[in-house]
């Protein structure tokens, strides 16, 4: 009877349990909404004191371990497949802030300018001890041939807690580490004297503990650059030293023999204050403080054809380009790129130069239109800030922190997500502002600051 | 519209009997131009009984701005303009500190966050990244083979655009005003909806480690039609509409010729 009564009451459209227990809700009024909003808790995800984080992103060919992610080569979970190529930027977790990185031919070096004991990490190919001696955990007497994750490189420093590592550079099978007070450390293959020490006949380079230290220069070394099998050192006084293989004249010392001791270069750069040197293959470029460009080395791909017909130039020659004051230059295997003070980018040489598929080779620098880097009426103050070269790729960084790449997409090294070659500058989507990028043969490493 | 003087009635030649010049009962046939009786207004009735009006790109209830309508023959021009895929420009106003379920300030509140760490510089950085990724999408959806010289030339001039259906793409963003907690952006976009723009505001809030809602979406340009061509509420009368149609005719024709050839 009570149930029937309740049902009848429901038919009269009154609340079922009307015993004064509460009023039906109904849609909230504006005042209720406003009060609820003001009473809601406020979450804080970031404050004024939040600093932007530094990150490292890697992409390209991963089977040599050069990307530093072991799960790409040896998956840690059963269902994962080994990833041969990482086509888009992948975040690499590092313990310290990485200030300098360099990509060699199948290996990578990361360096931080900390005063901790571990300053340099290496990963990738280690068949010539280009990453120092990496003791194997399974057999204490042997070393690793492939290093799959960033492993510390033990440098024989005299004052390990005071010296800072400024810069690292990698070539085909050797690497150079520049410190602020203890000179340059070299390791790896020395069959052409590229490590700056005397060539030993039949020396076995794998699992070698030898790290050579170079200190005898006219002043402090401020930049080290590795070519394929030679090394270049730039000192504070503006002089350039070289050692290593010279059959293409890339040592610039006036002969085509190998040099095993760093020797000063003369030619057109004698007495000139050089502010930047660059090399990656067998051609070298140097920029002076007045904005002139000097080149030497291999010229089979028209890199130096504007001054000479010979294909090997063994003395630095001034390249009289009328493109304005040059700020930065970078050399690739077959193509060169320079950046002028106004922020314009010029390319010359052979290969995919960045001006469409029709421009394959040129001996005279051609400008890449700035609209390809994002400059338009809407954003007229975009400038290219840095240029870098891999073996057959180019990279350009703008002042807004965007990274543009173009060239041959060898094993996904461009990072665009596609496997095709790129004939004009293309943005790489990196979740952050790109501060610096290092290009190798088939992989790239970038140092990125997060947005907020 | 029907009160306006209509077309003059058609004329035709008829042979009408008229008394002969020399008098007497003889009747001659004289050719004369007379209006066709079928064209007489009392026979025909009002000229316009219904008007075909079509709308251009959609504008939803909470947004405002330029809304293009086509009348009669204009509907065909509307389809042609749609195939031109021209960009539209919006001013979007946003507010930091709140997140709601429909991304606008009238929705149900989901979360409140602090926003005092946001600076104009951080916002511009995020906008640069949005532009960058959308630029890539622009090139990818335009269905041109990237390996051709023609693609390079179009990319240099900035003329690559998707000429078919594509997801919403933002071609340019700029911050017009920034006064915490409010900010205003100018967005140039293609194939978008206003709710997508509100979602973008919400995502900007998330990227800046806070939250944002959209307070205002106003279209200030739709292809060739700008705010100056648009008629405000007070001018919704026949005279202004006719003037507006005449003013825009030339612009629309040149644009159609340029894009569709």
């Amino acid at each position: 009877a009570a149930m029937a009564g309740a049902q009848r009451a429901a038919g009269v459209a009154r609340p079922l349990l009307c015993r004064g227990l509460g009023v039906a809700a109904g849609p909230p009024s504006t005042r209720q909404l406003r009060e609820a909003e003001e009473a809601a808790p406020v979450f804080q995800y970031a404050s004024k004191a939040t600093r932007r984080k530094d990150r490292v992103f890697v992409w390209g060919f991963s089977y040599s371990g050069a990307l530093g992610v072991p799960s790409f080569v040896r998956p840690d979970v059963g269902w994962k497949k080994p990833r041969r190529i990482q086509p888009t930027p992948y975040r690499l977790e590092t313990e310290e802030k990485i200030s300098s990185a360099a990509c060699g031919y199948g290996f990578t070096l990361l360096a931080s300018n900390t005063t901790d004991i571990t300053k340099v990490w290496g990963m990738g190919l280690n068949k010539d001890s280009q990453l120092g001696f990496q003791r194997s955990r399974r057999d204490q007497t042997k070393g690793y041939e492939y290093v799959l994750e960033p492993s510390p490189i033990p440098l024989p420093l005299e004052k390990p807690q005071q010296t800072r590592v400024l810069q690292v550079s990698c070539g085909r099978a050797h690497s150079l580490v520049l410190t602020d007070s203890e000179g340059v450390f070299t390791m790896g293959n020395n069959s052409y004297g590229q490590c700056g020490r005397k060539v030993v006949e039949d020396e076995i380079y794998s699992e070698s503990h030898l790290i050579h230290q170079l200190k005898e220069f006219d002043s402090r070394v401020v930049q080290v650059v590795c070519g394929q099998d030679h090394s270049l050192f730039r000192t504070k006084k503006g002089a350039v030293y070289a050692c290593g293989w010279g059959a293409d004249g890339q040592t610039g010392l006036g002969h085509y023999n190998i040099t095993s001791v760093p020797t000063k270069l003369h030619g057109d750069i004698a007495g000139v204050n050089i502010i930047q040197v660059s090399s990656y293959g067998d051609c070298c470029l140097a920029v002076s403080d007045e904005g002139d460009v000097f080149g030497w080395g291999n010229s089979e791909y028209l890199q130096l054809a504007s001054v000479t017909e010979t294909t090997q130039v063994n003395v630095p020659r001034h390249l009289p380009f009328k493109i304005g004051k040059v700020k930065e230059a970078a050399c690739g295997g077959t193509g060169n790129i320079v950046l002028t003070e106004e922020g314009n980018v010029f390319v010359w040489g052979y290969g995919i130069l960045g001006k469409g598929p029709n421009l394959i080779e040129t001996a005279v620098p051609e400008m890449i239109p700035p609209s390809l880097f994002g400059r338009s009426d809407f954003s007229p103050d975009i400038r290219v800030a840095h240029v870098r070269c891999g073996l057959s790729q180019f990279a350009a960084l703008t002042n807004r922190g965007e990274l543009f790449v173009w060239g041959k997409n060898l094993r996904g090294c461009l990072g665009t997500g596609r496997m095709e070659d790129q004939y004009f500058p293309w943005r790489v989507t990196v979740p952050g502002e790109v501060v610096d990028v290092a290009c190798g043969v088939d992989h790239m490493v970038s140092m990125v600051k997060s947005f907020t | 519209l029907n009160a306006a003087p209509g077309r003059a009635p058609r004329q035709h030649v008829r042979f009408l009997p008229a008394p002969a010049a020399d008098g007497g009962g003889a009747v001659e046939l004289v050719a004369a131009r007379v209006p066709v009786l079928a064209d007489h207004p009392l026979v025909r009735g009002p000229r316009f009984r219904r008007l075909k009006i079509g709308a251009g790109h959609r504008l939803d209830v909470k947004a405002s701005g330029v809304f293009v309508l086509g009348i009669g023959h204009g509907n065909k021009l509307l389809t042609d303009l749609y195939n031109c895929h021209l960009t539209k420009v919006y001013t979007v106003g946003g507010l930091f500190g709140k997140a709601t379920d429909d991304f606008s300030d009238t929705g149900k509140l989901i979360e409140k966050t602090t926003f005092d760490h946001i600076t104009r510089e951080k916002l511009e950085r995020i906008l640069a990244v949005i532009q960058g990724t959308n630029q890539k999408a622009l090139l990818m959806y335009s269905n041109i083979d990237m390996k051709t010289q023609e693609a390079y030339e179009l990319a240099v001039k900035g003329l690559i655009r998707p000429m078919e259906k594509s997801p919403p793409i933002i071609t340019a963003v700029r911050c017009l005003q920034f006064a915490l907690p409010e900010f205003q952006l100018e967005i140039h976009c293609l194939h978008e909806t206003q709710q997508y723009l509100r979602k973008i505001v919400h995502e900007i809030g998330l990227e800046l480690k806070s939250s944002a809602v959209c307070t205002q979406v106003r279209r200030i340009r739709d292809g060739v039609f700008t705010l100056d061509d648009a008629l405000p509420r007070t001018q919704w009368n026949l005279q202004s509409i006719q003037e507006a149609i005449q003013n825009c005719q030339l612009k629309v024709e040149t644009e159609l010729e340029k894009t569709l050839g």
Side-chain angles (χ1 to χ4, degrees):
Chain A
M3 266 249 298
Q7 278 171 352
R8 227 185 301 125
V12 185
R14 275 219 319 263
L16 272 171
L17 292 165
C18 64
R19 291 198 186 167
L21 283 179
V23 192
S29 69
T30 321
R31 205 178 116 218
Q32 276 173 331
L33 278 173
R34 209 172 3 111
E35 282 171 0
E37 225 179 87
E38 270 154 37
V42 179
F43 292 88
Q44 183 177 48
Y45 294 107
S47 68
K48 280 207 175 128
T50 316
R51 293 277 151 259
R52 291 168 75 183
K53 296 181 201 53
D54 300 289
R55 306 214 163 106
V56 176
F57 283 85
V58 292
W59 62 91
F61 185 64
S62 61
Y63 252 16
S64 55
L67 297 191
V69 184
S71 56
F72 284 167
V73 187
R74 291 269 173 81
D76 41 3
V77 183
W79 53 265
K80 273 197 200 160
K81 286 217 192 78
R83 211 186 290 197
R84 196 175 137 254
I85 290 178
Q86 173 56 36
T88 49
Y90 186 91
R91 173 135 165 244
L92 184 68
E93 301 269 353
T94 53
E95 290 132 19
E96 297 266 352
K97 174 187 175 220
I98 302 295
S99 59
S100 162
C103 292
Y105 289 40
F107 66 105
T108 320
L109 277 186
L110 302 173
S112 152
N113 64 351
T114 165
T115 46
D116 292 349
I117 306 224
T118 322
K119 301 171 205 286
V120 188
W121 294 263
M123 54 248 205
L125 227 49
N126 197 21
K127 289 196 166 175
D128 287 307
S129 301
Q130 52 263 58
L131 306 175
F133 182 72
Q134 303 287 339
R135 201 179 292 277
S136 162
R137 260 177 287 189
R138 263 186 297 176
D139 184 351
Q140 298 281 333
T141 53
K142 296 224 172 67
Y144 281 129
E145 272 192 347
Y146 290 90
V147 179
L148 295 183
E149 62 173 2
S151 311
I153 296 180
L155 294 172
L157 294 165
E158 273 171 21
K159 303 199 179 84
Q161 280 165 330
Q162 284 175 20
T163 321
R164 285 184 202 265
V165 167
L166 297 176
Q167 197 216 327
V168 280
S169 184
C170 303
R172 182 187 59 88
H174 72 296
S175 29
L176 303 178
V177 177
L178 172 66
T179 59
D180 58 352
S181 52
E182 295 196 33
V184 182
F185 290 91
T186 64
M187 43 200 169
N189 191 305
N190 194 39
S191 28
Y192 306 109
Q194 61 264 48
C195 284
R197 57 188 167 90
K198 203 148 154 315
V199 181
V200 174
E201 283 276 337
D202 297 331
E203 181 178 350
I204 301 178
Y205 297 107
S206 78
E207 296 172 14
S208 153
H209 290 254
L210 183 57
I211 298 185
H212 189 65
Q213 189 179 15
L214 292 168
K215 276 183 167 177
E216 296 87 29
F217 297 95
D218 62 350
S219 50
R220 196 160 67 83
V221 178
V222 285
Q223 191 193 357
V224 286
V225 166
C226 286
Q228 195 163 6
D229 281 309
H230 69 289
S231 314
L232 297 171
F233 310 84
R234 174 172 71 89
T235 61
K236 200 158 170 188
K237 286 203 182 142
V240 179
Y241 287 72
C243 64
W245 202 40
D248 274 328
Q250 58 263 57
T251 44
L253 296 169
H255 55 75
Y256 294 111
N257 310 324
I258 61 178
T259 318
S260 40
V261 170
T263 321
K264 194 161 168 177
L265 267 68
H266 297 282
D268 285 356
I269 60 173
V272 178
N273 185 11
I274 301 289
I275 56 165
Q276 200 232 342
V277 202
S278 165
S279 175
Y280 200 66
D282 290 324
C283 177
C284 313
L285 284 183
V287 177
S288 74
D289 56 352
E290 296 184 356
D292 296 319
V293 183
F294 299 85
W296 64 96
N298 190 1
S299 179
E300 283 164 17
Y301 302 101
L302 309 178
Q303 291 109 318
L304 308 172
S306 52
V307 282
T308 168
E309 290 276 315
T310 48
T311 50
Q312 273 85 16
V313 178
N314 60 3
V315 171
R317 297 285 304 269
H318 174 59
L319 301 174
F321 297 139
K322 303 258 178 319
I323 52 181
K325 193 164 165 201
V326 170
K327 204 166 71 164
E328 208 177 65
C331 276
T334 58
N336 297 345
I337 184 172
V338 290
L339 173 68
T340 58
E341 289 275 324
E342 299 107 48
N344 290 327
V345 171
F346 288 83
V347 287
W348 77 99
Y350 173 84
I352 301 180
L353 295 176
K355 289 192 73 162
N358 286 0
L359 187 69
I360 302 280
E361 59 176 9
T362 165
V364 179
E366 301 252 346
M367 185 165 98
I368 295 194
S371 57
L372 286 173
F373 294 113
R375 200 196 294 185
S376 62
D377 305 321
F378 219 66
S379 9
D381 53 351
I382 291 201
R383 298 261 179 287
V384 175
H386 297 284
V387 284
R388 303 268 180 266
C389 242
L391 201 62
S392 40
Q393 315 86 23
F394 298 89
L397 291 174
T398 61
N399 53 2
R400 294 264 188 100
E402 292 185 310
L403 173 63
F404 287 84
V405 291
W406 65 98
K408 269 205 96 55
N409 196 2
L410 202 54
R411 303 187 269 273
C413 62
L414 288 185
T416 53
R418 292 158 45 208
M419 300 307 284
E420 294 125 30
D421 302 334
Q422 186 55 36
Y423 289 90
F424 57 90
W426 185 267
R427 256 184 199 84
V428 177
T429 319
V430 181
E433 197 182 307
V434 183
V435 172
D436 200 2
V437 72
C439 304
V441 171
D442 53 11
H443 70 293
M444 283 198 202
V445 169
S446 61
M447 271 130 349
V448 170
K449 261 183 139 66
S450 69
F451 287 127
T452 44
Chain B
L1 190 58
N2 285 322
R7 256 190 284 184
R10 288 174 292 169
Q11 308 259 353
H12 65 180
V13 176
R14 275 196 71 185
F15 294 96
L16 296 173
D22 46 359
V27 169
E28 258 190 3
L29 287 176
V30 172
R33 276 190 106 88
V34 286
V36 175
L37 273 178
D39 270 353
H40 197 273
L42 290 174
V43 173
R44 218 184 41 213
R47 175 103 195 282
F48 294 101
R49 253 179 289 170
R50 278 203 212 113
L51 282 176
K52 281 205 172 121
I53 300 191
H57 296 110
R58 288 195 197 113
L59 198 64
D60 65 17
V61 181
K62 285 185 265 191
S64 59
V66 175
F67 187 37
V68 180
L69 296 159
I71 303 182
H73 172 62
N75 290 317
K76 298 204 185 73
L77 294 176
L78 269 183
T79 7
D80 291 333
L81 273 180
Y82 178 77
N83 292 332
C84 278
H85 301 280
L86 300 165
T87 57
K88 302 187 237 344
V89 182
Y90 289 80
T91 38
V92 175
L95 192 73
F96 285 120
K98 266 182 14 169
T100 53
D101 58 349
D102 65 349
F103 312 134
S104 77
D105 52 350
T106 51
K108 179 173 149 219
L109 179 73
I110 307 270
E111 193 182 59
K112 281 203 318 193
T113 57
T114 59
F115 49 83
D116 49 354
H117 61 278
I118 301 180
T119 61
R120 188 165 186 154
E121 199 191 271
K122 288 186 189 169
L123 181 65
E124 307 231 314
R125 236 179 269 145
I126 304 280
L127 296 182
V129 166
I130 291 180
Q131 250 187 284
T133 39
N134 276 280
Q135 193 81 2
K136 260 179 74 161
L138 196 69
L139 295 176
M140 287 202 315
Y141 282 105
S142 60
N143 273 340
I144 304 186
D145 188 6
M146 289 298 145
K147 297 205 184 149
T148 54
Q149 183 69 15
E150 168 199 339
Y152 164 71
E153 259 145 43
L154 285 177
V156 172
K157 286 192 225 138
L159 289 180
I160 293 194
R161 245 186 4 230
M163 279 311 201
E164 293 138 8
K165 273 197 161 142
S166 83
I169 298 185
I170 296 182
T171 52
V173 205
R174 186 163 57 170
C175 177
L176 294 174
Q177 285 173 29
F178 183 81
L180 282 180
E182 291 170 359
F183 64 99
Q184 206 182 47
L185 305 172
E186 184 186 311
I187 304 185
H188 296 233
C189 38
L190 275 177
H191 305 154
E192 80 305 336
T193 57
Q194 284 80 40
Q195 191 61 13
Y196 179 77
L197 296 175
R198 291 190 193 101
K199 188 168 157 206
I200 292 283
V201 170
H202 174 253
E203 284 175 2
I204 290 177
L206 291 180
E207 273 293 331
L208 289 166
K209 297 211 174 81
S210 175
S211 48
V213 289
C214 176
T215 45
Q216 181 212 40
V217 177
R218 186 172 184 236
R219 193 189 297 177
I220 54 180
R221 197 166 81 84
D222 182 342
V224 278
F225 302 98
T226 61
L227 271 185
D228 304 323
D229 305 321
L231 299 170
R233 188 79 191 237
T234 50
Q235 282 182 10
W236 287 1
N237 51 32
L238 181 61
Q239 179 77 9
S240 328
I241 294 177
Q242 280 177 327
E243 269 175 26
I245 294 179
Q246 274 180 342
N247 291 344
C248 295
Q249 225 173 1
L250 188 60
K251 268 200 289 193
V252 170
E253 264 175 40
T254 38
E255 185 60 46
L256 284 178
E257 255 200 57
K258 205 170 66 167
T259 319
L260 296 176

